[in-house]
Amino acid sequence: MKYLDEFKDPVVAKRMIDDILALATRRWTLMEVCGGQTHSIIRNGIDTLLADAVEFIHGPGCPVCVTPLEMIDRALEIASRPDVIFTSFGDMIRVPGTGRDLFSVKAAGGDVRIVYSPLDAVAIAADNPDKQVVFFGVGFETTAPANAMAVVTARRRGLTNFSMLASHVRVPPAIRTVMDSPVTRVQGFLAAGHVCTVMGTSEYGPLVEEYGVPIVVTGFEPLDLLEGIRQTVALLEAGTPALRNAYPRAVDPGGNPVAQNVLADVFEVCDRQWRGIGMIPASGWQLSPAWREFDASIRFDVDDVHTAEPEECHSGEVLQGLIKPFECPSFGTLCTPRTPLGATMVSAEGACAAYYEFRRLDLPVKVTP
């Protein structure tokens, strides 16, 4: 297969769905880790088509969604300053902080700009030497190397007016937290292919051994996901938990060594607060001591900003797979894309946004006995 459309072939998809339904002797509970996978599953109706074989629990794999409220409030504090040009990818602009978001800061006169690459922020710093330029570095292992290279580039160009507000998180510790929960129902994981493109698969084998659950790396198109689901169900039916790579066209077991070296230089592992979930040990990256001069939290002295989640928002339970979005009392009423209580309703990878956009507003499809 050469082209993306080939991974959406409905005839092949129907055959794969039939194979999975024939393979499953019971209904298995799988967690897709990535929010992009969640949107693909809901948009293409895979959850409905496989309802007799698989229940999907939507995991905490949306980096925008898990960015802690206190980090959003730090971003808002920095962006409100008159000497600052605050840059961010567009998916952070509507994420609610305490009472406002970056869009409202921009509307009030703050210089908030959407960029399409962290290097765009570096270029803005070069063009505006009289301003402090801050880039909001959010994401999992997928975006971290490019953000690290922005810092490296700023140093090479001698830019002392560039800094990064870093809120990077790591997938394997999140899986561990899900499995350590006393109420978890997850029996197998679909791991995020783009993360493994960078980091490889070595961190997942120990999780398989420790928790006895299969982990299958997969992509994001319908046929990618169906193949990942098929392999996971086959492992569960056989009672042989294992690590499998169902995305070999993109993922090498060793990952990308060049990207990993950059990450090891620029960042260091740290404990990280996850929005709606809490502190997860060793689940984040922060700028390492050699690069700490580019840390916006330190430069603007906002480390002491701490806030509490609104009680009406149940996004933390959604992110942990404890409830489906429509089971939140605020879903579609107090919380909509125009008036979001949490990031899961406005992020392009948020589970609540997927259910709202694709009209999954009712109770789940009844499963035949």
Side-chain angles (χ1 to χ4, degrees), residues 254-320:
N256 185 329
V258 175
Q260 293 169 20
N261 289 338
V262 171
L263 290 173
D265 178 24
V266 175
F267 293 117
E268 64 179 3
V269 173
C270 65
D271 299 341
R272 178 70 75 196
Q273 193 82 14
W274 291 51
R275 188 168 191 167
I277 297 176
M279 183 67 70
I280 300 180
S283 66
W285 274 315
Q286 63 185 8
L287 290 168
S288 65
W291 299 90
R292 200 63 54 79
E293 66 193 89
F294 293 97
D295 190 328
S297 284
I298 296 174
R299 183 174 297 189
F300 294 93
D301 192 25
V302 292
D303 267 342
D304 60 346
V305 173
H306 299 286
T307 49
E309 297 283 344
E311 292 183 3
E312 301 88 353
C313 181
H314 294 262
S315 60
E317 295 165 76
V318 172
L319 290 166
Q320 296 176 75

Side-chain angles (χ1 to χ4, degrees), residues 59-236:
C62 165
V64 173
C65 303
V66 301
T67 300
L69 185 59
E70 62 191 39
M71 190 65 74
I72 302 298
D73 282 353
R74 290 172 191 174
L76 296 170
E77 165 64 24
I78 295 171
S80 300
R81 301 190 185 189
D83 61 333
V84 167
I85 300 174
F86 194 89
T87 64
S88 170
F89 293 145
D91 55 4
M92 297 302 300
I93 297 299
R94 289 292 317 284
V95 175
T98 303
R100 55 180 181 161
D101 54 26
L102 285 170
F103 187 80
S104 62
V105 171
K106 181 177 179 65
D111 196 345
V112 177
R113 306 185 189 183
I114 294 174
V115 294
Y116 298 95
S117 162
L119 293 178
D120 292 343
V122 175
I124 292 171
D127 292 340
N128 295 271
D130 58 330
K131 292 279 191 175
Q132 287 290 324
V133 177
V134 180
F135 175 69
F136 200 1
V138 173
F140 281 95
E141 295 93 330
T142 316
T143 56
N147 293 349
M149 281 306 303
V151 177
V152 172
T153 302
R155 175 175 283 180
R156 287 175 179 170
R157 298 183 64 176
L159 299 175
T160 59
N161 65 324
F162 175 84
S163 60
M164 179 186 298
L165 184 63
S167 187
H168 281 294
V169 284
R170 303 172 57 238
V171 169
I175 291 178
R176 183 177 298 280
T177 296
V178 168
M179 291 309 299
D180 283 341
S181 169
V183 294
T184 188
R185 297 187 295 114
V186 178
Q187 296 168 303
F189 287 91
L190 303 177
H194 49 14
V195 169
C196 294
T197 299
V198 175
M199 302 304 294
T201 60
S202 62
E203 294 181 283
Y204 296 93
L207 294 172
V208 171
E209 294 180 9
E210 182 175 353
Y211 295 104
V213 295
I215 299 178
V216 177
V217 179
T218 187
F220 308 90
E221 297 303 323
L223 300 192
D224 289 322
L225 284 162
L226 289 170
E227 176 57 19
I229 295 164
R230 187 196 66 78
Q231 291 194 27
T232 309
V233 170
L235 290 168
L236 287 167

Side-chain angles (χ1 to χ4, degrees), residues 39 42 58 311-315 318 323-337 339-342 344-346 350-363:
H39 272 252
I42 302 300
H58 315 307
E311 292 183 3
E312 301 88 353
C313 181
H314 294 262
S315 60
V318 172
I323 63 172
K324 295 290 194 298
F326 56 76
E327 294 175 311
C328 171
S330 301
F331 178 77
T333 54
L334 293 176
C335 184
T336 70
T339 58
L341 292 176
T344 51
M345 182 56 86
V346 289
C352 297
Y355 274 68
Y356 194 93
E357 180 179 357
F358 301 113
R359 309 305 296 170
R360 298 300 179 82
L361 311 182
D362 302 319
L363 293 175

